[in-house]
Amino acid sequence: MTCVVCDGDARSGIRFCRVCDDRLFARLAGLSGLLAELEVTLTRQDKVGNSERVGGERERPLPFSAKASDALGDLSRLLDFWVAELVPAATDTAHDPAPARQDSPVKAAEWLTRHLTVIRTCEGAGRFFRQLEAVTETAWRVVDRPADRVFAGPCLTESESSDGMIVCHEDLYARPGKATVRCKLCRT
């Protein structure tokens, strides 16, 4: 039998090769951490801004992250769908009942992780893998902090005006390793 993800040789009795099976387990095992990070990002308790000051008036931001809300909703719906899909194949639901749809996505993730054997052998294993991978990659992009910017010094560009020479004193910030930076104030 071939792996439903990569067409490699599937392990005996399951639909995944060793590498894809390990990737599936890692994704499932990392869900509780990802869900916690999404909650932090959702409630804007994360610090993702940079040190730059932007002139002018700014719109007041939403009290929550819309992108994190979307990612959390997508992940929750995916987990709920697959719990409901896999319950009939799970043999120990009397001792380990499936979480209800209104339960937290963490409970759904934990239940799916405990029922990895069912996922490994189900008809939709490849679809589950690809959906889980896509949704978790999107969610990690939402919560991963952008690279910090480092202070590059003041601009100090001189320019002529009707009042004589003026010097820009805007603070400049750049991503690490960047050779040049453009001043946001005077555009040099």
Side-chain angles (χ1 to χ4, degrees), residues 166-187:
I166 58 169
V167 178
C168 179
H169 291 284
E170 185 72 11
D171 288 340
L172 302 175
Y173 293 88
R175 289 198 170 84
K178 184 121 176 165
T180 60
V181 64
R182 177 181 219 88
C183 178
K184 299 238 183 222
L185 184 63
C186 69
R187 305 274 188 221

Side-chain angles (χ1 to χ4, degrees), residues 1-11 15-18 20:
M1 180 184 271
T2 60
C3 175
V4 293
V5 176
C6 72
D7 294 327
D9 290 332
R11 296 173 65 190
R15 297 180 179 271
F16 300 105
C17 67
R18 181 172 302 281
C20 293

Side-chain angles (χ1 to χ4, degrees), residues 43 63 81 90 118 140 148 171:
T43 57
F81 172 82
V118 177
W140 277 117
D148 282 334
D171 288 340

Side-chain angles (χ1 to χ4, degrees), residues 46-63:
D46 58 341
K47 182 169 176 18
V48 294
N50 57 36
S51 304
E52 294 180 62
R53 284 185 318 221
V54 178
E57 291 190 28
R58 297 178 66 188
E59 289 184 26
R60 182 167 279 225
L62 293 171

